[in-house]
Amino acid sequence: TRAASVDALYCMLTDRVDAALLDAAPRLRVVSNMAVGLDNIDLDECTERGIAVGHTPGVLTGATADLAMALLLAAARRVGEGIDYVRSGSWGEFRLDLLLGHEVHSSVLGIVGMGRIGASVARRAVGFGMSIVYSGPTRKPDIERELGAAHTSLERLLQTADHVVITAPLTPETHHLINRESLRLVKPTATLVNVARGPLVDTDALVEALERGRIAAAALDVTDPEPLPADHPLVALPNCVVIPHLGSATQATRAAMADLAARNLVQGLAGEQMEAAANPQVYL
Ligand code: DGY
């Protein structure tokens, strides 16, 4: 009912902007999402109705890439289990076989979706002496030249990477991109990191792969469902690190996102092309 009178919407990734909402908001001309991901918005529907949509690419790239590395290191090197071990009072004498993990440095990193965030993760990984393979519909010659990254199919990536980071957008094509079959291809020593959107991974299949030790570990900033209930099997698994969608959660990044989303909104209302337009075709 409140939508009926609004000209512009400033929204977050938890707000669904779909045909039903648009039907209820006949005056709407501008949607500004304070997120880079657009899976909460029916973009085609907005474009068809001439509604300009903005989002926040660029400003959160570095923060999200930092967190992807933090998660990879935490899961592969069993930092969460180490913290639990100390907190539970289990720390006794030094043991040579205590919580042995898998190497991150000098290993092969597979990046699923070489967009801005994927490339930013890759730059960090090269600093760790890692080599990069990536999958996705578009080859990135600049990144290949800059980082020596090699494009490959998803199947080949999963077979050859020592660790896998998912940074692809959620679309109908990427829903459950990582499923029971694909998890069978992953190395048993690998960590799977997801900083994109939960539904890119089939959660039940991931639980099964982690329980059976088919993959070494997972580190998830995003989950399906989200929020993940505390009694969900993923939370109890020692080889799974779960944190509550914190990719862009630094003070500076969140402020930059809020500013960019506000500028998009004001520009959209003024009939100007937004600084970060998601459907620039509405201006044609
Ligand atoms: C995004 O922007 O899409 C993130 O998921 C939240 O910052």
Side-chain angles (χ1 to χ4, degrees):
T1 51
R2 277 194 303 165
S5 59
V6 303
D7 299 294
L9 205 60
Y10 186 105
C11 55
M12 293 200 311
L13 54 91
T14 42
D15 302 313
R16 281 231 76 75
V17 180
D18 54 12
L21 178 89
L22 299 178
D23 285 345
R27 295 174 53 100
L28 195 65
R29 289 185 292 129
V30 177
V31 172
S32 179
N33 207 31
M34 195 193 141
V36 65
L38 288 161
D39 47 287
N40 59 313
I41 295 174
D42 188 333
L43 199 56
D44 291 341
E45 197 64 48
C46 288
T47 306
E48 218 159 86
R49 299 176 193 223
I51 297 171
V53 178
H55 63 146
T56 63
V59 292
L60 47 71
T61 303
T64 307
D66 284 350
L67 196 81
M69 291 309 287
L71 285 173
L72 171 59
L73 290 162
R77 296 303 308 275
R78 307 178 66 173
V79 173
E81 289 169 86
I83 292 170
D84 288 347
Y85 187 80
V86 175
R87 288 214 170 121
S88 68
S90 309
W91 196 2
E93 249 172 54
F94 179 80
R95 274 178 42 195
L96 283 173
D97 62 348
L98 180 65
L99 294 176
L100 303 185
H102 296 286
E103 302 277 30
V104 172
H105 74 90
S106 314
S107 65
V108 177
L109 182 63
I111 297 187
V112 179
M114 188 59 94
R116 291 178 210 85
I117 296 171
S120 198
V121 172
R123 282 191 193 97
R124 285 157 176 73
V126 166
F128 279 73
M130 301 175 92
S131 44
I132 312 294
V133 292
Y134 73 100
S135 65
T138 329
R139 276 190 72 162
K140 303 289 164 85
D142 291 355
I143 304 293
E144 292 182 19
R145 237 173 284 121
E146 179 193 336
L147 303 171
H151 184 259
T152 185
S153 66
L154 177 64
E155 289 70 31
R156 192 83 197 108
L157 178 147
L158 297 174
Q159 284 165 340
T160 52
D162 294 311
H163 303 291
V164 177
V165 177
I166 305 169
T167 53
L170 176 62
T171 63
E173 292 75 43
T174 62
H175 185 266
H176 284 193
L177 193 63
I178 304 296
N179 50 45
R180 206 159 261 114
E181 286 71 52
S182 41
L183 283 165
R184 289 212 180 92
L185 305 175
V186 176
K187 290 187 184 181
T189 47
T191 288
L192 176 75
V193 179
N194 189 2
V195 290
R197 285 291 183 268
L200 276 119
V201 177
D202 176 343
T203 302
D204 293 341
L206 180 62
V207 169
E208 197 182 295
L210 288 166
E211 278 174 353
R212 299 189 178 173
R214 269 209 210 105
I215 67 171
L220 311 172
D221 183 40
V222 289
T223 56
D224 181 21
E226 195 172 306
L228 196 67
D231 60 358
H232 192 280
L234 276 178
V235 178
L237 280 168
N239 53 347
C240 188
V241 174
V242 186
I243 56 170
H245 207 143
L246 299 176
S248 62
T250 71
Q251 301 203 358
T253 292
R254 284 284 161 81
M257 290 165 70
D259 283 354
L260 177 52
R263 291 199 300 277
N264 283 337
L265 187 91
V266 171
Q267 288 154 355
L269 274 174
E272 295 162 14
Q273 171 148 351
M274 291 175 181
E275 195 174 322
N279 57 351
Q281 52 289 33
V282 296
Y283 301 103
L284 298 176

XYZ file of all heavy atoms in Angstrom, residues 13 33-39 56 60 64 117 195-197 221-222 245-249 253-254 257, ligand 1:
190
model
N 19.359 -5.892 -0.480
C 19.280 -7.201 -1.123
C 18.184 -8.095 -0.540
O 17.807 -9.095 -1.140
C 20.641 -7.902 -1.055
C 21.311 -8.057 0.312
C 20.924 -9.360 0.972
C 22.817 -7.997 0.136
N 19.454 0.058 -5.607
C 19.769 -1.077 -4.737
C 21.090 -0.783 -4.031
O 22.099 -0.515 -4.689
C 19.923 -2.328 -5.611
C 19.615 -3.611 -4.897
O 18.775 -3.635 -3.979
N 20.268 -4.693 -5.289
N 21.095 -0.868 -2.705
C 22.355 -0.644 -1.983
C 23.115 -1.961 -1.880
O 23.354 -2.501 -0.813
C 22.084 -0.075 -0.589
C 23.344 0.497 0.044
S 23.104 0.809 1.785
C 24.671 0.313 2.458
N 23.459 -2.480 -3.043
C 24.200 -3.745 -3.171
C 24.648 -3.806 -4.620
O 24.055 -3.145 -5.485
C 23.298 -4.934 -2.854
N 25.662 -4.605 -4.880
C 26.056 -4.785 -6.279
C 25.209 -5.878 -6.920
O 24.838 -5.789 -8.086
C 27.577 -5.065 -6.413
C 27.978 -6.391 -5.783
C 28.000 -5.037 -7.871
N 24.890 -6.926 -6.145
C 24.068 -8.031 -6.651
C 22.672 -7.530 -6.966
O 22.128 -6.686 -6.259
N 22.102 -8.066 -8.045
C 20.784 -7.596 -8.481
C 19.751 -8.712 -8.489
O 18.685 -8.581 -9.080
C 20.916 -6.999 -9.897
C 21.638 -5.655 -9.962
C 22.128 -5.373 -11.381
C 20.738 -4.527 -9.466
N 20.081 -9.844 -7.844
C 19.185 -10.997 -7.909
C 17.871 -10.771 -7.160
O 16.923 -11.523 -7.348
C 19.895 -12.252 -7.377
C 20.610 -11.979 -6.075
O 21.655 -11.300 -6.110
O 20.095 -12.397 -5.023
N 25.607 -0.893 -6.750
C 26.843 -0.329 -6.179
C 28.103 -1.125 -6.550
O 28.822 -1.597 -5.666
C 26.735 -0.260 -4.634
O 26.616 -1.606 -4.128
C 25.556 0.564 -4.176
N 32.702 -1.950 -3.336
C 32.821 -3.023 -2.346
C 33.758 -4.140 -2.800
O 33.913 -5.155 -2.116
C 31.431 -3.594 -2.011
C 30.497 -3.916 -3.171
C 30.940 -5.118 -3.954
C 29.092 -4.085 -2.664
N 35.251 -7.143 -0.250
C 34.731 -8.499 -0.459
C 35.866 -9.466 -0.800
O 35.892 -10.615 -0.328
C 33.653 -8.479 -1.567
O 32.684 -7.483 -1.235
C 32.962 -9.824 -1.696
N 35.113 -8.646 -8.507
C 35.513 -9.250 -7.227
C 36.428 -10.449 -7.475
O 37.455 -10.607 -6.804
C 34.264 -9.635 -6.396
C 33.475 -8.374 -6.033
C 34.675 -10.405 -5.135
C 32.116 -8.625 -5.390
N 31.458 -16.320 -1.598
C 31.200 -14.937 -1.166
C 30.206 -14.270 -2.124
O 30.104 -13.051 -2.161
C 32.495 -14.089 -1.090
C 33.378 -14.524 0.054
C 33.250 -14.100 -2.416
N 29.486 -15.086 -2.909
C 28.599 -14.522 -3.937
C 27.144 -14.517 -3.433
O 26.717 -13.564 -2.765
C 28.762 -15.315 -5.223
N 26.421 -15.584 -3.717
C 25.064 -15.743 -3.216
C 24.868 -17.221 -2.868
O 25.322 -18.099 -3.602
C 24.024 -15.337 -4.269
C 23.876 -13.848 -4.483
C 23.234 -13.125 -3.288
N 23.045 -11.705 -3.535
C 23.924 -10.754 -3.210
N 25.065 -11.058 -2.623
N 23.647 -9.484 -3.460
N 30.241 -17.073 3.243
C 29.752 -15.779 3.713
C 28.274 -15.647 3.396
O 27.590 -14.792 3.937
C 30.539 -14.647 3.041
C 30.119 -13.279 3.555
O 29.894 -13.157 4.787
O 30.004 -12.336 2.761
N 27.819 -16.493 2.472
C 26.420 -16.475 2.026
C 25.912 -17.904 2.030
O 26.683 -18.839 1.791
C 26.325 -15.872 0.611
C 26.604 -14.379 0.626
C 27.284 -16.571 -0.337
N 27.039 -13.044 5.968
C 27.005 -12.108 4.824
C 27.719 -10.792 5.163
O 27.093 -9.725 5.208
C 25.551 -11.857 4.387
C 25.435 -11.484 2.931
N 24.406 -11.904 2.127
C 26.218 -10.715 2.142
C 24.574 -11.401 0.905
N 25.672 -10.685 0.897
N 29.024 -10.895 5.344
C 29.816 -9.743 5.786
C 30.760 -9.213 4.707
O 31.621 -8.392 4.994
C 30.657 -10.148 7.015
C 29.888 -10.599 8.264
C 30.864 -11.056 9.349
C 29.021 -9.470 8.793
N 30.610 -9.704 3.472
C 31.563 -9.350 2.412
C 31.891 -7.867 2.336
O 33.054 -7.476 2.249
N 30.879 -7.036 2.372
C 31.110 -5.589 2.223
C 31.082 -4.868 3.570
O 31.032 -3.639 3.615
C 30.046 -4.993 1.299
O 28.754 -5.167 1.855
N 31.140 -5.645 4.664
C 30.878 -5.060 5.985
C 32.111 -4.409 6.615
O 32.619 -4.868 7.634
C 30.287 -6.122 6.918
N 33.449 0.869 3.457
C 32.747 0.324 2.284
C 31.246 0.545 2.387
O 30.600 0.945 1.416
C 33.094 -1.165 2.101
O 34.473 -1.244 1.726
C 32.247 -1.815 1.019
N 30.679 0.291 3.566
C 29.235 0.495 3.693
C 28.867 1.972 3.489
O 27.838 2.284 2.876
C 28.738 -0.012 5.051
C 28.647 -1.536 5.126
C 27.432 -2.087 4.392
N 27.577 -3.505 4.093
C 27.347 -4.494 4.947
N 26.931 -4.237 6.173
N 27.507 -5.756 4.573
N 28.982 2.564 -0.235
C 27.801 1.972 -0.885
C 26.570 2.855 -0.680
O 25.793 3.091 -1.609
C 27.517 0.583 -0.299
C 28.529 -0.468 -0.671
S 28.382 -1.939 0.381
C 26.817 -2.623 -0.174
C 26.163 -7.050 -2.512
O 26.447 -5.841 -2.584
O 25.583 -7.629 -3.416
C 26.587 -7.773 -1.271
O 26.105 -9.037 -1.203
C 26.237 -7.001 -0.024
O 27.126 -5.977 0.051
